[in-house]
Amino acid sequence: MRIFVVGASGAIGTRLVPQLIARGHTVIGTHRSPDHEKRVRELGAEPVGLDLLDKRAVRDAVRAAEPAAIIHQATALTNLRDFRHFDRSFAQTNRLRTEGTDALLAAAREAGVRRFIAQSFASTLYERSGGPVKTEDDPLDAHPVPAMRETVAAMRHLDETVRSAGGIVLRYGGFYGDEDGLVEAVRRRMFPIVGRGEGVTSFIHLEDAAAATVLALDYDGSGAFNVVDDEPAAVREWLPVLAKMLGAKPPRRVPRWLARLVAGEAAVVLGTGTRGGSNAKAKRELGWEPRYPSWREGFAATYAEDRPTAPASRPHEPVTNMR
Ligand SMILES: NC(=O)c1ccc[n+]([C@@H]2O[C@H](COP(=O)([O-])OP(=O)(O)OC[C@H]3O[C@@H](n4cnc5c(N)ncnc54)[C@H](OP(=O)(O)O)[C@@H]3O)[C@@H](O)[C@H]2O)c1
């Protein structure tokens, strides 16, 4: 199949392109930074420079590529640091999720592209009440805190427009598998446990996220899938484990009021209010099995100094298990 991957040069795109090619697909991969053309070419894709916010350029690029499927993996999250002004930090990503998605869907319609897959994020999408682990049928957050209003609205826009156009939304867990910002913050003890640290995170290794995306191409129909690992976990559970693996000091603990004062309301939500996702539907309907069923073994394989060659056994049962 000819596949148009938007954001082929990013964290997920660079894992996805080789997996698509290994499955026999032909990939036209976009990049935004001129420097990343070489990266996309070396992955085996045909590189195309594209600004997703340029509607006409999007239409022309899709028409020229003549793809059978479009995969939207564009975000602008490099150097994301300022959680205090959450919506401002996500402003460009929000545009890629709203205007960018709309431009791609319009181009897909015009060029007769029937398969469309787009990236979303599980943990900040779901309603922050009820159980700790959500399925795709659970309601999305209709009352985000003011600091996150635009970001949650952009994710909802993407989710709703893509599904109503007959496409597939992949609600990924928190990516790991790279030297990313999270790891650096934990190493420097800049990522504290807020309050009781009960906010739940679902993680996913980048290779596993890419594998689920490849399988989604064969799914007939539209819908949303949580692409997350088997073990959603509270911050108070996963953060000390990651810190220890990185050889960092244990995370600090800060009360909610102090986190709100220093890092803003979004930091309190991420530390105490988020929910995890169940991957039962993705396993059942996409036939997907994550290579790293738990962040415990995935973190160990990625970050621990004495990385095991085979997945490590689980030290104890998770507090927040999806099953
Ligand atoms: N679920 C998650 O946890 C999640 C999701 C996304 C990102 N992240 C994290 O955020 C960090 C940064 O992500 P990243 O490395 O993928 O970089 P990024 O800056 O978020 O870019 C992602 C992709 O989108 C492209 N892009 C950016 N602006 C665009 C535009 N206006 N038009 C078209 N394409 C555009 C980029 O192209 P260029 O590379 O050419 O600029 C790149 O291919 C990583 O640590 C990643 O793991 C996490």
Side-chain angles (χ1 to χ4, degrees):
M1 208 186 282
R2 280 177 72 77
I3 301 170
F4 190 74
V5 177
V6 184
S9 50
I12 174 81
T14 50
R15 309 298 179 113
L16 176 61
V17 171
Q19 291 196 30
L20 289 169
I21 289 169
R23 286 280 283 242
H25 297 298
T26 300
V27 180
I28 299 94
T30 82
H31 56 95
R32 168 83 171 110
S33 321
D35 296 353
H36 289 166
E37 176 178 349
K38 187 164 175 265
R39 179 186 293 179
V40 175
R41 191 182 301 285
E42 284 174 356
L43 293 170
E46 183 188 315
V48 175
L50 180 67
D51 180 359
L52 191 53
L53 301 177
D54 180 342
K55 210 171 161 183
R56 173 172 294 202
V58 171
R59 194 180 65 182
D60 292 347
V62 169
R63 191 188 289 162
E66 297 182 343
I70 294 175
I71 305 181
H72 175 3
Q73 299 285 11
T75 52
L77 298 173
T78 304
N79 300 324
L80 183 71
R81 284 215 170 76
D82 183 4
F83 278 70
R84 190 171 179 77
H85 302 99
F86 196 84
D87 278 342
R88 192 165 76 194
S89 298
F90 273 78
Q92 186 74 356
T93 295
N94 294 342
R95 290 189 66 195
L96 294 169
R97 287 178 170 155
T98 52
E99 295 166 50
T101 300
D102 292 350
L104 271 177
L105 283 172
R109 258 192 306 274
E110 211 177 296
V113 183
R114 306 224 2 243
R115 288 177 194 273
F116 193 99
I117 297 174
Q119 171 189 151
S120 186
F121 182 63
S123 283
T124 46
L125 189 62
Y126 289 107
E127 190 172 83
R128 286 168 293 120
S129 58
V133 180
K134 304 297 187 186
T135 73
E136 293 81 353
D137 294 332
D138 282 313
L140 307 186
D141 190 356
H143 306 287
V145 295
M148 301 173 77
R149 205 170 275 154
E150 291 167 18
T151 304
V152 174
M155 292 200 298
R156 291 187 65 128
H157 176 91
L158 179 147
D159 208 285
E160 286 156 14
T161 50
V162 169
R163 283 189 294 141
S164 61
I168 293 173
V169 177
L170 299 180
R171 299 173 181 167
Y172 295 120
F175 290 156
Y176 69 92
D178 256 344
E179 273 296 314
D180 55 22
L182 168 69
V183 167
E184 188 50 29
V186 175
R187 267 205 192 98
R188 292 169 56 209
R189 262 192 130 197
M190 302 289 285
F191 197 127
I193 295 175
V194 177
R196 294 194 299 115
E198 70 271 43
V200 178
T201 310
S202 271
F203 284 103
I204 191 70
H205 192 288
L206 282 160
E207 291 290 348
D208 282 330
T213 311
V214 174
L215 291 169
L217 279 170
D218 292 330
Y219 183 77
D220 256 335
S222 75
F225 294 92
N226 293 330
V227 176
V228 297
D229 76 9
D230 292 358
E231 195 185 345
V235 178
R236 62 170 174 253
E237 196 181 347
W238 64 259
L239 186 50
V241 175
L242 178 58
K244 197 168 175 197
M245 265 176 209
L246 294 170
K249 288 186 182 159
R252 297 175 208 277
R253 288 184 169 267
V254 301
R256 294 166 70 114
W257 68 265
L258 184 57
R260 186 174 295 113
L261 194 71
V262 175
E265 190 65 38
V268 177
V269 169
L270 297 177
T272 65
T274 52
R275 296 297 193 264
S278 158
N279 61 15
K281 183 181 175 195
K283 285 181 165 178
R284 190 178 62 241
E285 296 187 22
L286 300 181
W288 171 71
E289 272 301 328
R291 185 164 112 203
Y292 298 105
S294 163
W295 48 271
R296 293 181 194 279
E297 54 222 9
F299 284 177
T302 309
Y303 304 120
E305 281 166 14
D306 54 340
R307 286 171 211 170
T309 47
S313 59
R314 244 175 238 188
H316 54 263
E317 277 305 302
V319 176
T320 50
N321 200 316
M322 50 159 284
R323 288 176 290 258

